[in-house]
Amino acid sequence: MSQDKPAPRLAWTEVRDMIRARMAAGQYKSGDKLPRDADIAAELGCTRTTVHRAMNALASTGLVERVRKGGTHVKADPITRATLDIPITRLEVLAQGRAYTHRVILAKTVASPPEVMARFGIKAARLMLHLQALHLADQQPYIWENRWIDLETCPEVLGLDWTQNSANEWLVRHKAYSRVELRFGAVAAPHDIAPHMNVAQGAPLLHIERATWQGDDPITFVQSFAPQGYHICAQSQPV
Amino acid sequence: MSQDKPAPRLAWTEVRDMIRARMAAGQYKSGDKLPRDADIAAELGCTRTTVHRAMNALASTGLVERVRKGGTHVKADPITRATLDIPITRLEVLAQGRAYTHRVILAKTVASPPEVMARFGIKAARLMLHLQALHLADQQPYIWENRWIDLETCPEVLGLDWTQNSANEWLVRHKAYSRVELRFGAVAAPHDIAPHMNVAQGAPLLHIERATWQGDDPITFVQSFAPQGYHICAQSQPV
DNA sequence: AAGTGGTCTAGACCACCTT
DNA sequence: AGGTGGTCTAGACCACTTG
């Protein structure tokens, strides 16, 4: 009888972990050039495709850098890369076992103000729906939002009843974006927002800005403000 | 002569964009079940592999949800998903054209305090190096950091000169993590940090917490504080 | 139990970049 | 100009989970 080894098929995650282990062990050091995919494949006894996948995973977490013809290098200046999930505000509140309500403070058609145009990177003003709303959890202020919706991209929003629909929710369900940009920072509560949030003027608020596009068309830009105690969480990609 | 069409090979990005377009057009609505990969492949005239890749891209951005045997569904409760890159602080400062310095305030071996154990999800206390440091840009306070480094995982750190090495930088270069968790929020400057940051007690600060692991072993936990004007940026995966 | 997505192989060609 | 990663095909088997 032939002593056929069961030919242990190598999973791409195993390959990834092997490479990672070699980096941790110092076999591949910061800035080093790694062997070609094909060579690693030959060494490990799997296909180049499998190595390719493992390498891509490492590249996507910022551990290595790949360039055609240049090969794969261990990144000399690594970055911390994480993935961030922001749910619909209503569901976020409900998940905490609290009651969700929201209140529309303002809904007005306007020309896009300069700061919104700047965020969208557009030069000509566009017609937008300007909304101001307050999200509440158990009747307590949860998030204040100041939103602009592009009326060219989303004409339907003019016919909606905002006391029933949260813009947050309607947009995310009906106008899937293909690109989003987020910004976080700490700010002192401005005089026009502090009373709505039930905090003193100058109190610390988390400032969240979100801009979304569908292709090259602006969808919406939101400035949100959340009080102390509100957290944004992120994790490394499970990969 | 036969009128052979050049057999236009379909890129996975094209497939992805087609599916996305169908969702935008309302052909696939929120909650709908999409055709099987194989059927879409047959319809478009490409391999199942290609469709698989496109679908995975959509799933990774949270647009659809895939489950074996269950098929692929348009996600009913979409989330906003973005990727976040945090560079080494020194390079972040230099990239702004400012001079980087840092000052070590404290370096002491301690048993892990409860809040650190909680973040790492460990029950038994471990020996850690507790560091407090201030990063400066053009001699102005930039980020305050309060850090614990696990001495079991990183024994080498005891021999390092922290006035030369920033912990931030040394760790990220020599102890690549396999998992990271981040948290952001706004806080009022505590009395023990405010003077270091050159702000009034109670002034708004961005609070950033970061925990990293290598496998299941804790590497480091950092609480950082950044003043108003400091921003964290995130984007949708370029995919 | 069966159907769906998930993965691996083997091979080919392509596109981009460095040398 | 040539070498590297990037992608697609074709086919097979596997693993999970739902009906």
Coordinates of all heavy atoms in Angstrom, one line a residue, chain A residues 20 24 63 76-88 91 172-173 176-188 202 204-206 210 214 228-236, chain B residues 20 24 63 76-88 91 172-173 176-188 202 204-206 210 214 228 230-236:
Chain A
R20 N 2.3 36.0 9.3 CA 2.2 36.9 10.4 C 3.2 36.4 11.5 O 3.9 37.2 12.1 CB 0.8 36.9 10.9 CG 0.4 38.2 11.5 CD -0.9 38.0 12.3 NE -2.1 38.7 11.6 CZ -3.3 38.2 11.7 NH1 -3.5 37.0 12.2 NH2 -4.3 38.8 11.1
A24 N 6.3 38.2 13.3 CA 6.5 38.4 14.8 C 7.8 37.8 15.3 O 8.4 38.2 16.2 CB 5.3 37.7 15.5
L63 N -0.4 45.6 7.2 CA 0.8 45.0 7.7 C 1.9 45.0 6.6 O 3.0 45.1 6.9 CB 0.5 43.6 8.2 CG 0.3 43.5 9.7 CD1 0.2 42.0 10.1 CD2 1.5 44.1 10.4
A76 N 7.0 49.7 6.6 CA 7.9 50.3 7.5 C 7.2 51.2 8.5 O 7.6 51.3 9.6 CB 9.0 51.1 6.7
D77 N 6.2 51.9 8.1 CA 5.5 52.7 9.0 C 4.1 52.2 9.1 O 3.1 52.7 8.4 CB 5.5 54.2 8.4 CG 6.9 54.8 8.3 OD1 7.6 54.5 9.3 OD2 7.2 55.4 7.3
P78 N 3.9 51.3 9.9 CA 2.6 50.6 10.0 C 1.5 51.6 10.6 O 1.9 52.6 11.2 CB 2.8 49.5 11.1 CG 4.2 49.5 11.3 CD 4.8 50.8 10.9
I79 N 0.3 51.4 10.3 CA -0.8 52.2 10.8 C -1.7 51.3 11.5 O -1.7 50.1 11.3 CB -1.6 52.9 9.7 CG1 -1.9 51.9 8.6 CG2 -0.8 54.1 9.1 CD1 -2.7 52.4 7.5
T80 N -2.5 51.9 12.4 CA -3.6 51.1 13.1 C -4.8 51.3 12.2 O -5.3 52.4 12.0 CB -3.8 51.7 14.5 OG1 -2.6 51.6 15.2 CG2 -4.9 51.0 15.2
R81 N -5.3 50.2 11.7 CA -6.5 50.2 10.9 C -7.6 49.4 11.5 O -7.4 48.3 12.0 CB -6.2 49.6 9.5 CG -7.4 49.6 8.6 CD -6.9 49.3 7.2 NE -6.1 50.4 6.6 CZ -5.4 50.3 5.5 NH1 -5.5 49.2 4.8 NH2 -4.7 51.3 5.0
A82 N -8.8 50.0 11.6 CA -9.9 49.4 12.2 C -11.2 49.7 11.4 O -11.2 50.6 10.6 CB -10.1 49.9 13.6
T83 N -12.2 48.9 11.6 CA -13.4 49.0 10.9 C -14.5 49.5 11.9 O -14.5 49.0 13.1 CB -13.9 47.7 10.3 OG1 -12.9 47.4 9.3 CG2 -15.2 47.9 9.6
L84 N -15.4 50.3 11.5 CA -16.3 51.1 12.3 C -17.7 50.8 11.8 O -17.9 51.0 10.6 CB -15.9 52.5 12.1 CG -16.4 53.6 13.0 CD1 -15.1 54.2 13.6 CD2 -17.1 54.6 12.2
D85 N -18.6 50.4 12.6 CA -20.0 50.2 12.2 C -20.9 51.2 13.0 O -20.9 51.2 14.2 CB -20.4 48.8 12.6 CG -19.9 47.8 11.6 OD1 -19.3 48.2 10.5 OD2 -20.0 46.6 11.8
I86 N -21.6 51.9 12.2 CA -22.6 52.8 12.9 C -24.0 52.4 12.5 O -24.3 52.5 11.3 CB -22.3 54.3 12.5 CG1 -20.9 54.7 12.8 CG2 -23.3 55.2 13.2 CD1 -20.6 56.1 12.5
P87 N -24.8 51.9 13.4 CA -26.1 51.5 13.0 C -27.1 52.7 12.9 O -26.7 53.8 13.2 CB -26.5 50.7 14.3 CG -25.7 51.2 15.4 CD -24.5 51.8 14.8
I88 N -28.3 52.4 12.4 CA -29.3 53.4 12.5 C -29.6 53.8 13.9 O -29.6 53.0 14.8 CB -30.6 52.8 11.8 CG1 -30.4 52.5 10.4 CG2 -31.8 53.7 12.0 CD1 -31.5 51.7 9.7
L91 N -32.3 52.1 16.0 CA -32.0 50.7 16.4 C -30.9 50.7 17.5 O -30.9 49.8 18.4 CB -31.5 49.9 15.2 CG -32.6 49.8 14.1 CD1 -32.0 49.0 12.9 CD2 -33.8 49.1 14.6
V172 N -30.8 55.7 4.5 CA -29.9 54.6 4.5 C -30.6 53.4 3.9 O -30.0 52.4 3.4 CB -29.4 54.3 6.0 CG1 -30.4 53.4 6.7 CG2 -28.0 53.7 6.0
R173 N -32.0 53.4 4.0 CA -32.7 52.3 3.4 C -33.0 52.5 1.9 O -33.1 51.5 1.2 CB -34.1 52.2 4.1 CG -34.1 51.1 5.2 CD -35.5 50.8 5.6 NE -35.6 50.9 7.1 CZ -35.1 50.0 7.9 NH1 -34.5 48.9 7.4 NH2 -35.2 50.1 9.2
A176 N -28.8 53.9 -0.9 CA -27.6 53.3 -0.5 C -26.4 54.1 -1.1 O -26.4 54.5 -2.3 CB -27.5 51.9 -1.0
Y177 N -25.5 54.4 -0.3 CA -24.3 55.2 -0.7 C -23.2 54.3 -1.3 O -23.2 53.1 -0.9 CB -23.7 56.0 0.4 CG -23.3 55.2 1.6 CD1 -22.0 54.6 1.6 CD2 -24.1 55.0 2.7 CE1 -21.6 53.8 2.6 CE2 -23.6 54.2 3.7 CZ -22.4 53.7 3.7 OH -22.0 52.9 4.8
S178 N -22.4 54.8 -2.1 CA -21.3 54.0 -2.6 C -20.0 54.5 -1.9 O -19.0 53.8 -2.0 CB -21.1 54.0 -4.1 OG -20.9 55.3 -4.5
R179 N -20.1 55.7 -1.3 CA -18.9 56.2 -0.6 C -19.3 57.0 0.6 O -20.4 57.7 0.6 CB -18.1 57.1 -1.5 CG -16.8 57.6 -1.0 CD -15.8 58.0 -2.1 NE -16.2 59.2 -2.8 CZ -15.8 60.4 -2.5 NH1 -15.0 60.6 -1.5 NH2 -16.2 61.4 -3.2
V180 N -18.6 56.9 1.7 CA -18.9 57.7 2.9 C -17.6 58.2 3.5 O -16.6 57.5 3.4 CB -19.7 56.8 3.9 CG1 -18.9 55.6 4.3 CG2 -20.0 57.6 5.1
E181 N -17.7 59.4 4.0 CA -16.5 59.9 4.8 C -17.0 60.4 6.2 O -18.1 61.0 6.3 CB -15.9 61.2 4.1 CG -15.0 60.8 2.9 CD -14.4 62.1 2.3 OE1 -14.4 63.1 2.9 OE2 -13.9 62.0 1.1
L182 N -16.2 60.0 7.2 CA -16.6 60.4 8.5 C -15.5 61.2 9.2 O -14.3 61.0 8.9 CB -16.8 59.1 9.3 CG -18.0 58.2 8.9 CD1 -17.9 56.8 9.6 CD2 -19.3 58.8 9.2
R183 N -15.9 62.0 10.1 CA -14.9 62.8 11.0 C -15.4 62.9 12.4 O -16.6 63.1 12.6 CB -14.7 64.2 10.4 CG -13.6 64.3 9.4 CD -13.5 65.7 8.9 NE -12.8 66.6 9.8 CZ -12.4 67.8 9.5 NH1 -12.7 68.3 8.3 NH2 -11.8 68.6 10.4
F184 N -14.6 62.6 13.3 CA -14.9 62.7 14.8 C -14.0 63.8 15.4 O -12.8 63.8 15.1 CB -14.7 61.4 15.5 CG -15.4 60.3 14.8 CD1 -14.7 59.5 13.9 CD2 -16.7 60.0 15.0 CE1 -15.3 58.4 13.3 CE2 -17.4 59.0 14.4 CZ -16.7 58.2 13.5
G185 N -14.6 64.4 16.4 CA -13.8 65.3 17.2 C -14.6 65.8 18.4 O -15.8 65.5 18.5
A186 N -13.9 66.4 19.4 CA -14.6 66.9 20.6 C -14.8 68.4 20.4 O -13.9 69.1 19.8 CB -13.7 66.7 21.8
V187 N -16.0 68.9 20.7 CA -16.2 70.3 20.7 C -16.9 70.8 21.9 O -17.5 69.9 22.7 CB -17.1 70.7 19.4 CG1 -16.4 70.3 18.1 CG2 -18.5 69.9 19.5
A188 N -16.9 72.1 22.1 CA -17.7 72.7 23.2 C -19.1 72.9 22.7 O -19.2 73.4 21.6 CB -17.0 73.9 23.7
G202 N -20.8 75.1 26.2 CA -19.3 74.8 26.5 C -19.1 73.4 27.0 O -18.0 73.0 27.1
P204 N -18.7 69.4 26.9 CA -18.0 68.6 25.9 C -19.1 67.8 25.1 O -19.9 67.1 25.7 CB -17.1 67.6 26.7 CG -17.1 68.1 28.1 CD -18.3 68.9 28.3
L205 N -19.0 67.8 23.8 CA -19.8 67.0 22.9 C -18.9 66.3 21.9 O -17.9 66.8 21.5 CB -20.9 67.9 22.2 CG -21.9 68.6 23.0 CD1 -22.8 69.4 22.1 CD2 -22.8 67.6 23.8
L206 N -19.4 65.1 21.5 CA -18.7 64.4 20.5 C -19.3 64.9 19.2 O -20.5 64.9 19.0 CB -18.9 62.9 20.6 CG -18.1 62.1 19.5 CD1 -16.6 62.3 19.6 CD2 -18.5 60.6 19.6
R210 N -20.7 63.3 8.8 CA -20.8 62.2 7.8 C -21.2 62.8 6.5 O -22.2 63.5 6.4 CB -21.8 61.2 8.3 CG -22.0 60.0 7.4 CD -23.2 59.2 7.7 NE -23.5 59.1 9.2 CZ -24.2 58.1 9.7 NH1 -24.8 57.3 9.0 NH2 -24.4 58.1 11.0
Q214 N -23.4 58.8 -3.9 CA -23.8 57.7 -4.7 C -23.1 57.9 -6.1 O -23.5 58.8 -6.8 CB -25.3 57.6 -4.9 CG -25.7 56.3 -5.6 CD -27.2 56.2 -5.5 OE1 -28.0 56.9 -6.2 NE2 -27.7 55.2 -4.8
Q228 N -21.4 63.5 26.4 CA -20.5 62.6 27.1 C -21.1 61.3 27.4 O -22.3 61.2 27.7 CB -20.0 63.3 28.5 CG -19.1 64.4 28.3 CD -18.4 64.7 29.7 OE1 -17.7 63.9 30.3 NE2 -18.7 65.9 30.2
G229 N -20.4 60.2 27.4 CA -20.9 58.9 27.6 C -21.3 58.2 26.3 O -21.4 57.0 26.3
Y230 N -21.4 58.9 25.3 CA -21.7 58.3 24.0 C -20.3 57.8 23.4 O -19.4 58.6 23.4 CB -22.3 59.3 23.0 CG -22.7 58.7 21.7 CD1 -24.0 58.0 21.5 CD2 -21.8 58.7 20.6 CE1 -24.3 57.5 20.3 CE2 -22.2 58.1 19.4 CZ -23.4 57.5 19.3 OH -23.8 57.0 18.1
H231 N -20.3 56.6 22.9 CA -19.0 56.1 22.4 C -19.2 55.6 20.9 O -20.2 55.1 20.6 CB -18.5 54.9 23.2 CG -18.1 55.3 24.6 ND1 -18.8 55.0 25.7 CD2 -17.1 56.1 25.0 CE1 -18.2 55.5 26.8 NE2 -17.1 56.2 26.3
I232 N -18.1 55.7 20.2 CA -18.0 55.1 18.9 C -17.0 54.0 19.1 O -15.9 54.2 19.6 CB -17.5 56.1 17.8 CG1 -18.4 57.3 17.7 CG2 -17.2 55.4 16.5 CD1 -19.6 57.0 16.7
C233 N -17.3 52.8 18.6 CA -16.4 51.7 18.7 C -15.9 51.2 17.4 O -16.7 51.2 16.4 CB -17.1 50.5 19.5 SG -17.5 51.0 21.2
A234 N -14.7 50.7 17.3 CA -14.2 50.1 16.1 C -13.3 48.9 16.4 O -12.8 48.8 17.5 CB -13.4 51.2 15.3
Q235 N -13.1 48.1 15.5 CA -12.3 46.8 15.7 C -11.5 46.6 14.4 O -11.9 47.0 13.3 CB -13.2 45.6 15.9 CG -14.2 45.8 17.0 CD -15.0 44.5 17.2 OE1 -14.8 43.5 16.5 NE2 -15.9 44.5 18.1
S236 N -10.5 45.8 14.6 CA -9.7 45.3 13.4 C -10.7 44.4 12.7 O -11.6 43.8 13.2 CB -8.5 44.5 13.9 OG -8.8 43.6 14.9
Chain B
R20 N -25.3 46.7 -7.4 CA -25.5 48.0 -6.7 C -26.5 48.8 -7.4 O -27.5 49.4 -6.8 CB -24.2 48.7 -6.5 CG -24.1 49.5 -5.2 CD -22.9 50.4 -5.2 NE -21.8 50.0 -4.4 CZ -20.6 50.2 -4.7 NH1 -20.2 50.7 -5.8 NH2 -19.6 49.9 -3.8
A24 N -30.2 50.3 -6.3 CA -30.6 51.7 -6.4 C -31.8 51.9 -7.2 O -32.6 52.7 -6.9 CB -29.4 52.5 -6.9
L63 N -23.9 46.0 2.8 CA -25.1 46.2 1.9 C -26.0 45.0 1.8 O -27.2 45.1 1.7 CB -24.6 46.7 0.5 CG -24.6 48.1 0.2 CD1 -24.4 48.4 -1.2 CD2 -26.0 48.7 0.6
A76 N -31.8 44.4 5.6 CA -32.9 45.2 5.9 C -32.6 46.4 6.8 O -33.2 47.5 6.7 CB -34.0 44.3 6.6
D77 N -31.6 46.2 7.7 CA -31.2 47.3 8.6 C -29.7 47.6 8.3 O -28.8 47.2 9.0 CB -31.3 46.9 10.0 CG -32.8 46.6 10.4 OD1 -33.6 47.4 10.0 OD2 -33.0 45.6 11.1
P78 N -29.5 48.4 7.3 CA -28.1 48.7 6.8 C -27.4 49.4 7.9 O -28.0 50.1 8.7 CB -28.3 49.5 5.6 CG -29.7 49.5 5.3 CD -30.5 49.2 6.5
I79 N -26.1 49.3 7.9 CA -25.3 50.1 8.8 C -24.3 50.9 8.0 O -24.0 50.6 6.8 CB -24.5 49.2 9.8 CG1 -23.8 48.1 8.9 CG2 -25.4 48.6 10.8 CD1 -22.9 47.2 9.7
T80 N -23.8 51.9 8.6 CA -22.7 52.7 8.0 C -21.4 52.1 8.4 O -21.1 52.0 9.6 CB -22.8 54.2 8.4 OG1 -24.0 54.7 8.0 CG2 -21.7 55.0 7.8
R81 N -20.7 51.6 7.4 CA -19.4 50.9 7.7 C -18.2 51.7 7.1 O -18.3 52.0 5.9 CB -19.4 49.5 7.3 CG -18.1 48.8 7.6 CD -18.2 47.3 7.3 NE -19.1 46.7 8.3 CZ -19.6 45.5 8.2 NH1 -19.2 44.7 7.2 NH2 -20.3 45.0 9.2
A82 N -17.2 52.0 7.9 CA -16.1 52.7 7.3 C -14.8 52.2 7.9 O -14.8 51.5 8.9 CB -16.3 54.2 7.7
T83 N -13.7 52.6 7.3 CA -12.4 52.1 7.7 C -11.6 53.3 8.2 O -11.7 54.4 7.6 CB -11.7 51.4 6.6 OG1 -12.4 50.3 6.2 CG2 -10.3 51.0 7.0
L84 N -10.9 53.1 9.2 CA -10.2 54.1 10.0 C -8.7 53.8 10.0 O -8.3 52.7 10.4 CB -10.8 54.0 11.4 CG -10.7 55.0 12.4 CD1 -12.1 55.4 12.7 CD2 -10.0 54.5 13.6
D85 N -7.9 54.8 9.7 CA -6.5 54.6 9.7 C -5.9 55.6 10.7 O -6.1 56.8 10.6 CB -5.8 54.9 8.3 CG -6.1 53.8 7.4 OD1 -6.5 52.7 7.9 OD2 -5.8 53.9 6.2
I86 N -5.2 55.1 11.7 CA -4.5 56.0 12.6 C -3.0 55.8 12.5 O -2.5 54.7 12.8 CB -4.9 55.6 14.1 CG1 -6.4 55.8 14.2 CG2 -4.2 56.6 15.1 CD1 -6.9 55.6 15.6
P87 N -2.3 56.8 12.0 CA -0.8 56.6 11.8 C -0.1 56.8 13.2 O -0.7 57.1 14.2 CB -0.5 57.8 10.9 CG -1.6 58.8 11.2 CD -2.8 58.1 11.6
I88 N 1.2 56.5 13.1 CA 2.0 56.8 14.3 C 2.0 58.3 14.5 O 2.0 59.1 13.6 CB 3.5 56.4 13.9 CG1 3.5 54.8 13.7 CG2 4.5 56.8 15.0 CD1 4.9 54.4 13.2
L91 N 4.6 60.6 13.0 CA 4.4 60.9 11.6 C 3.2 61.7 11.2 O 3.2 62.5 10.3 CB 4.3 59.5 10.8 CG 5.6 58.6 11.0 CD1 5.4 57.3 10.3 CD2 6.8 59.4 10.5
V172 N 4.3 49.5 17.7 CA 3.7 49.3 16.4 C 4.7 48.7 15.4 O 4.3 47.9 14.4 CB 3.0 50.6 15.9 CG1 4.0 51.4 15.1 CG2 1.8 50.3 15.1
R173 N 6.0 48.9 15.6 CA 7.0 48.4 14.7 C 7.4 47.0 15.1 O 7.8 46.2 14.3 CB 8.2 49.3 14.7 CG 8.2 50.3 13.5 CD 9.5 51.0 13.4 NE 9.4 52.4 13.4 CZ 9.0 53.1 12.3 NH1 8.7 52.4 11.2 NH2 8.9 54.4 12.3
A176 N 3.6 43.7 16.2 CA 2.4 43.8 15.3 C 1.2 43.1 16.0 O 1.4 42.0 16.5 CB 2.7 43.2 14.0
Y177 N 0.1 43.7 16.1 CA -1.0 43.1 16.8 C -1.8 42.3 15.7 O -1.7 42.6 14.5 CB -1.9 44.2 17.3 CG -2.4 45.2 16.3 CD1 -3.6 44.9 15.5 CD2 -1.8 46.4 16.1 CE1 -4.0 45.8 14.6 CE2 -2.3 47.3 15.2 CZ -3.4 47.0 14.4 OH -3.8 47.9 13.5
S178 N -2.6 41.4 16.2 CA -3.5 40.7 15.3 C -4.9 41.1 15.5 O -5.8 40.8 14.8 CB -3.4 39.2 15.5 OG -3.7 38.8 16.8
R179 N -5.2 41.9 16.6 CA -6.5 42.4 16.9 C -6.4 43.7 17.6 O -5.5 43.9 18.4 CB -7.3 41.4 17.8 CG -8.7 41.8 18.0 CD -9.6 40.6 18.4 NE -9.2 40.1 19.7 CZ -9.9 40.4 20.8 NH1 -10.9 41.2 20.7 NH2 -9.5 39.9 21.9
V180 N -7.3 44.6 17.3 CA -7.3 45.9 17.9 C -8.8 46.3 18.2 O -9.6 46.0 17.4 CB -6.6 47.0 17.1 CG1 -7.2 47.2 15.7 CG2 -6.5 48.3 17.8
E181 N -9.0 47.0 19.3 CA -10.3 47.6 19.6 C -10.1 49.0 19.9 O -9.2 49.4 20.7 CB -11.0 46.9 20.8 CG -11.6 45.6 20.4 CD -12.3 44.9 21.6 OE1 -12.6 45.7 22.6 OE2 -12.6 43.7 21.6
L182 N -11.0 49.9 19.4 CA -10.9 51.3 19.6 C -12.2 51.9 20.1 O -13.3 51.3 19.8 CB -10.6 52.0 18.3 CG -9.3 51.7 17.6 CD1 -9.3 52.3 16.2 CD2 -8.1 52.3 18.4
R183 N -12.1 52.9 20.9 CA -13.3 53.6 21.4 C -13.1 55.1 21.4 O -12.0 55.6 21.8 CB -13.7 53.2 22.8 CG -14.6 52.0 22.9 CD -14.9 51.6 24.3 NE -15.9 52.5 25.0 CZ -16.4 52.2 26.2 NH1 -16.1 51.1 26.8 NH2 -17.3 53.0 26.7
F184 N -14.1 55.9 20.9 CA -14.0 57.3 20.9 C -15.1 57.9 21.7 O -16.2 57.4 21.7 CB -14.1 57.9 19.5 CG -13.2 57.3 18.6 CD1 -13.7 56.3 17.8 CD2 -11.9 57.6 18.5 CE1 -12.8 55.6 16.9 CE2 -11.0 57.0 17.6 CZ -11.5 56.0 16.8
G185 N -14.8 59.0 22.4 CA -15.9 59.8 23.0 C -15.4 61.1 23.4 O -14.2 61.4 23.3
A186 N -16.3 62.0 23.8 CA -15.9 63.3 24.3 C -15.9 63.3 25.8 O -16.8 62.7 26.4 CB -16.9 64.4 23.7
V187 N -15.0 63.9 26.4 CA -14.9 64.0 27.9 C -14.5 65.4 28.3 O -13.9 66.2 27.5 CB -13.9 63.0 28.5 CG1 -14.3 61.6 28.2 CG2 -12.5 63.3 28.0
A188 N -14.8 65.7 29.5 CA -14.3 67.0 30.1 C -12.9 66.7 30.7 O -12.7 65.7 31.3 CB -15.3 67.4 31.2
G202 N -12.2 70.7 32.6 CA -13.6 70.7 32.1 C -13.7 71.0 30.6 O -14.7 70.9 30.0
P204 N -13.4 70.5 26.6 CA -13.7 69.3 25.8 C -12.4 68.7 25.3 O -11.6 69.3 24.7 CB -14.5 69.8 24.7 CG -14.9 71.2 25.0 CD -13.9 71.7 25.9
L205 N -12.3 67.3 25.5 CA -11.2 66.6 24.9 C -11.8 65.4 24.2 O -12.8 64.8 24.6 CB -10.2 66.1 26.0 CG -9.4 67.2 26.8 CD1 -8.5 66.5 27.8 CD2 -8.6 68.0 25.8
L206 N -11.1 65.0 23.1 CA -11.5 63.7 22.5 C -10.8 62.6 23.2 O -9.5 62.6 23.4 CB -11.1 63.7 21.0 CG -11.5 62.5 20.2 CD1 -13.0 62.3 20.2 CD2 -10.9 62.6 18.8
R210 N -7.5 52.5 23.1 CA -7.0 51.5 22.1 C -6.5 50.3 22.9 O -5.6 50.5 23.7 CB -6.0 52.1 21.2 CG -5.4 51.1 20.2 CD -4.1 51.6 19.5 NE -4.1 53.1 19.3 CZ -3.3 53.7 18.4 NH1 -2.5 53.0 17.7 NH2 -3.3 55.0 18.3
Q214 N -2.0 40.2 20.5 CA -1.3 39.3 19.6 C -1.9 37.9 19.9 O -1.5 37.4 20.9 CB 0.2 39.4 19.7 CG 0.9 38.7 18.6 CD 2.4 39.0 18.7 OE1 3.1 38.7 19.6 NE2 2.9 39.8 17.7
Q228 N -9.6 70.0 21.3 CA -10.5 70.4 20.2 C -9.7 70.7 19.0 O -8.6 71.2 19.1 CB -11.2 71.7 20.6 CG -12.4 71.5 21.6 CD -13.2 72.8 21.7 OE1 -13.9 73.1 20.7 NE2 -13.2 73.4 22.8
Y230 N -8.6 68.4 17.0 CA -8.1 67.1 16.6 C -9.2 66.3 16.0 O -10.3 66.2 16.5 CB -7.4 66.4 17.7 CG -6.8 65.1 17.4 CD1 -5.4 65.1 17.0 CD2 -7.4 63.9 17.4 CE1 -4.8 64.0 16.6 CE2 -6.8 62.7 17.0 CZ -5.5 62.8 16.6 OH -4.9 61.6 16.3
H231 N -8.9 65.7 14.8 CA -10.0 64.9 14.2 C -9.5 63.5 13.9 O -8.4 63.2 13.6 CB -10.4 65.5 12.9 CG -11.1 66.8 13.0 ND1 -10.5 68.0 12.7 CD2 -12.3 67.1 13.5 CE1 -11.4 69.0 13.0 NE2 -12.5 68.5 13.5
I232 N -10.5 62.6 14.0 CA -10.3 61.2 13.5 C -11.1 61.1 12.2 O -12.3 61.5 12.2 CB -10.8 60.2 14.5 CG1 -10.1 60.3 15.8 CG2 -10.8 58.8 14.0 CD1 -8.8 59.5 15.9
C233 N -10.5 60.6 11.1 CA -11.2 60.5 9.9 C -11.4 59.0 9.5 O -10.5 58.2 9.8 CB -10.5 61.2 8.8 SG -10.4 63.0 9.1
A234 N -12.4 58.7 8.8 CA -12.7 57.4 8.3 C -13.4 57.4 7.0 O -14.0 58.4 6.6 CB -13.6 56.6 9.3
Q235 N -13.2 56.4 6.2 CA -13.8 56.3 4.9 C -14.4 55.0 4.6 O -14.0 54.0 5.2 CB -12.8 56.6 3.8 CG -12.0 57.9 3.9 CD -11.0 58.1 2.8 OE1 -11.0 57.3 1.9 NE2 -10.3 59.2 2.9
S236 N -15.3 54.9 3.6 CA -15.7 53.6 3.2 C -14.5 52.9 2.5 O -13.7 53.6 2.0 CB -16.9 53.7 2.2 OG -16.5 54.7 1.2

